[in-house]
Amino acid sequence: MKKILIVEDDKKIVAALTVRLKAEGYEAVAAFDAVMAGSVAAKERPDLVLLDISMPGGDGLLVAERLRKLPVPVNVPMIFLTASKKPGLRDQAMALGAAAFFEKPYEADQLLGAIKKALGES
Amino acid sequence: MERLTYCGSEVVRSARKGWVVMTEAPLRILIVEDDPVYRELYRTLLDLIGEHGGYRFLEAETGEAGLAQYRADRPNCILLDYRLPDFDGLEFLAALAGEDGQVPVPVIMLTGEGSEILVAKAMRVGAADYMPKSALSATSLRRSISNAVEKSKLRAAIAEQHRVLAQTNLELQRKNAEIQQFYHLLSHEMKTPLTSAREFVSIVLDGLAGPLSEAQREYLSYARESCDQMTLGLNDLLDSTRLETGKLHIAPQPGCISTLVARVVVSMTPQAQDKSIHVKQSIAPDLPQVLIDEKRIMQVLTNLLSNALKFTPEGGEVGVTVGNDPERPQWILVSVSDTGRGIEPTQLDHVFDRLYQVRSGDAAIEGGLGLGLYICREVVTLHGGGIWVDSTLGKGSTFSFTVPKCVPAIH
């Protein structure tokens, strides 16, 4: 079973994503802030990371960079979700090697499609 | 001269005007003149006419003394001999001018023969008026003083208004920035709960929480539509604050307008079908590429088309036309027409205004944030194009806009 790490400060969105991921046969683990993300990722070794960009206490883009620089780097596909419409965010995410970038509210079909594609399942 | 006090004001009887109420304090005139004969002459001329008796005189024999007297007493007007023992008129004006280079009090230059050129210069640096000593009369001197004082009062009033306006303006700008910032935060903060609401509704709709009855499915799909409406509203709010603060930028790229229009029409088909509206497309073949920000032009088209569908009654027709602009060869013209009730001529000029609400008398089709057409106009303008509306009451409206063709690079 492929494991997906959700880094997102809104617990309801984490819950909604978890329902979707489980229904698709994935295991979902969550980190609720930028600081937790590193330790959860190091411990759980996910196959893919879903990241919110604007979180209190840290920016998802920085989290992604940090995960890539862990002692044992988390070099897995990363998909960003954001409620922000700040110009240039998509480009920044793509420059970091993001597999996909979605604005909130996201369309679950599209998100799941991107996850499958990033995991090489489609 | 007769004077009396009436209701707290001084009332003076003038030979020419009869009784005149003195609503202001008498004018204090500083005479800077080294020749005592002339000082006496000015005083006499002013007193002679005696129209309101409203002069008090201060006198100085030299420029230095004149400046000191000005600083001590702040007279309303200065009568200045152009040639003083220590200063000439220009030097006196320069010494009088404040840090801003403005002469703070009206100065009337009294000139002898042969100083016309210097006097012209003095007028440029801020003298209020000049009079040749050889041609002084009571009337002309008095008129010159009253004109100069009046002008200086007006100038002071205008300067004060300018200052107040500038301050108010600054304050408004600060407040506006604050409001824009708040809207930005608001739309961002609203989106997170909206995302979770929409997504949980979708999860139930997709059957992930068990089977649904038809009614449950129908009601939840309404809930999801409402979430989508809110998202559109929040995005419009964000765009409009960005437009207001000049932070919305477009990234134009070569693209195909026909494909874009077709895509938007397809995406709006469900709404059209809901009201049995026929969407008639008329797209000219072989159109050249355009230079546009696809997402933004798509937003414009979606907005115009969704308005057209909103205002067209059930079973009506909406038309989408794309072709060369017959009047300007470098532009493509896109039009969206509806068969709605049309727009009142008085409202036509305002439909693109920010926060403007069309009043149609039909509550069902009013409402909205009043941002959609404003955003359309701004986006089209950012592309260098134009947007306008033609409307006939009872028949419908046509919204048209232009986008630039890709111009081949000139080598």
Side-chain angles (χ1 to χ4, degrees):
Chain A
M1 195 189 273
K2 294 270 171 78
K3 192 186 280 180
I4 296 176
L5 168 62
I6 306 165
V7 185
E8 159 73 73
D9 62 299
D10 188 276
K11 298 214 162 97
K12 293 197 192 77
I13 290 178
V14 171
L17 286 168
T18 304
V19 173
R20 289 284 187 191
L21 294 174
K22 281 193 175 148
E24 295 295 313
Y26 300 116
E27 183 185 350
V29 289
F32 298 111
D33 60 48
V35 183
M36 250 177 93
S39 58
V40 177
K43 187 172 143 241
E44 300 281 350
R45 310 305 308 172
D47 299 292
L48 184 144
V49 186
L50 281 181
L51 287 139
D52 180 24
I53 292 187
S54 31
M55 288 178 287
D59 163 336
L61 296 167
L62 292 177
V63 174
E65 274 187 285
R66 210 180 307 145
L67 293 184
R68 299 238 194 266
K69 285 182 192 150
L70 285 177
V72 186
V74 179
N75 275 323
V76 298
M78 304 213 179
I79 292 178
F80 291 92
L81 291 170
T82 183
S84 168
K85 281 196 146 251
K86 211 165 94 190
L89 272 187
R90 177 184 294 270
D91 293 343
Q92 273 176 276
M94 290 307 173
L96 277 174
F101 178 95
F102 292 98
E103 267 177 24
K104 289 176 182 172
Y106 54 89
E107 204 59 73
D109 287 352
Q110 290 175 10
L111 176 62
L112 292 170
I115 291 173
K116 282 202 179 73
K117 192 172 159 216
L119 290 171
E121 297 174 339
S122 65
Chain B
M1 193 182 310
E2 290 178 71
R3 292 164 189 266
L4 55 91
T5 302
Y6 176 74
C7 293
S9 294
E10 193 180 7
V11 183
V12 176
R13 182 162 194 171
S14 126
R16 279 193 291 161
K17 289 189 182 168
W19 289 100
V20 174
V21 180
M22 302 291 298
T23 49
E24 287 166 33
L27 290 179
R28 282 168 300 119
I29 310 292
L30 170 59
I31 300 171
V32 188
E33 165 71 71
D34 57 329
D35 187 335
V37 176
Y38 273 112
R39 291 205 299 275
E40 175 64 28
L41 172 67
Y42 307 149
R43 275 200 319 268
T44 312
L45 284 174
L46 290 170
D47 271 343
L48 183 74
I49 196 150
E51 191 154 300
H52 56 54
Y55 296 115
R56 300 278 185 272
F57 298 104
L58 306 158
E59 295 180 23
E61 287 179 36
T62 62
E64 270 315 334
L67 285 172
Q69 189 118 41
Y70 167 73
R71 290 186 191 115
D73 295 314
R74 302 280 158 183
N76 302 101
C77 183
I78 298 178
L79 297 182
L80 177 68
D81 175 22
Y82 195 84
R83 282 184 210 285
L84 292 163
D86 52 348
F87 279 1
D88 73 15
L90 282 180
E91 288 165 341
F92 187 86
L93 285 174
L96 206 56
E99 279 173 12
D100 57 358
Q102 301 283 313
V103 178
V105 56
V107 177
I108 296 166
M109 316 282 279
L110 297 154
T111 58
E113 294 294 320
S115 43
E116 288 79 8
I117 295 169
L118 288 171
V119 161
K121 218 181 232 173
M123 292 293 286
R124 277 201 298 279
V125 300
D129 198 2
Y130 72 96
M131 307 191 81
K133 286 183 185 178
S134 55
L136 281 181
S137 75
T139 324
S140 62
L141 188 56
R142 205 184 97 67
R143 186 181 302 140
S144 176
I145 290 174
S146 89
N147 284 348
V149 169
E150 210 45 48
K151 207 155 108 190
S152 126
K153 268 190 208 158
L154 283 176
R155 199 174 290 146
I158 290 170
E160 172 62 10
Q161 272 178 358
H162 269 284
R163 198 191 57 75
V164 171
L165 278 178
Q167 200 185 340
T168 311
N169 208 10
L170 211 68
E171 182 73 1
L172 284 175
Q173 275 174 12
R174 197 185 56 75
K175 285 224 165 83
N176 191 41
E178 227 173 68
I179 292 170
Q180 300 301 341
Q181 175 62 32
F182 174 73
Y183 283 164
H184 194 87
L185 191 72
L186 176 84
S187 60
H188 183 241
E189 285 303 301
M190 290 296 107
K191 262 196 203 169
T192 300
L194 187 58
T195 299
S196 109
R198 186 188 189 279
E199 185 52 4
F200 278 111
V201 169
S202 301
I203 283 169
V204 180
L205 261 176
D206 289 349
L208 295 180
L212 286 173
S213 71
E214 263 320 297
Q216 285 169 335
R217 183 175 303 283
E218 187 189 338
Y219 300 159
L220 283 175
S221 63
Y222 295 154
R224 185 159 64 182
E225 273 170 34
S226 299
C227 288
D228 290 342
Q229 246 174 313
M230 267 176 80
T231 308
L232 289 177
L234 289 175
N235 284 340
D236 278 357
L237 193 59
L238 261 176
D239 282 348
S240 109
T241 65
R242 271 223 213 91
L243 284 166
E244 283 290 287
T245 50
K247 284 184 188 150
L248 193 133
H249 304 291
I250 56 163
Q253 302 238 315
C256 174
I257 188 77
S258 316
T259 319
L260 197 74
V261 169
R263 250 163 64 201
V264 174
V265 171
V266 168
S267 76
M268 305 291 284
T269 307
Q271 276 124 290
Q273 280 170 350
D274 276 353
K275 287 177 80 178
S276 312
I277 291 171
H278 175 57
V279 179
K280 197 172 139 196
Q281 290 184 65
S282 157
I283 300 176
D286 306 322
L287 286 174
Q289 287 213 310
V290 289
L291 194 61
I292 54 167
D293 185 319
E294 282 207 3
K295 271 194 160 175
R296 289 293 171 188
I297 292 299
M298 212 156 150
Q299 181 184 15
V300 172
L301 277 165
T302 308
N303 223 311
L304 294 182
L305 204 54
S306 94
N307 274 351
L309 291 171
K310 183 164 128 188
F311 289 105
T312 297
E314 294 237 352
E317 192 176 276
V318 164
V320 183
T321 312
V322 186
N324 288 298
D325 184 336
E327 280 161 34
R328 293 179 302 166
Q330 292 309 315
W331 297 83
I332 296 279
L333 180 67
V334 184
S335 298
V336 178
S337 58
D338 63 53
T339 46
R341 61 173 65 221
I343 304 166
E344 292 279 350
T346 50
Q347 299 198 355
L348 276 181
D349 285 345
H350 302 289
V351 291
F352 296 105
D353 291 354
R354 187 168 181 263
L355 306 180
Y356 188 75
Q357 304 270 347
V358 172
R359 298 269 166 255
S360 65
D362 181 349
I365 53 176
E366 283 184 2
L369 292 172
L371 294 173
L373 288 175
Y374 162 74
I375 293 170
C376 288
R377 183 188 69 192
E378 297 302 305
V379 167
V380 170
T381 307
L382 284 172
H383 282 83
I387 187 166
W388 63 95
V389 58
D390 300 298
S391 189
T392 311
L393 271 183
K395 292 206 167 161
S397 310
T398 301
F399 284 82
S400 308
F401 66 94
T402 54
V403 286
K405 289 179 185 169
C406 263
V407 184
I410 299 159
H411 295 287

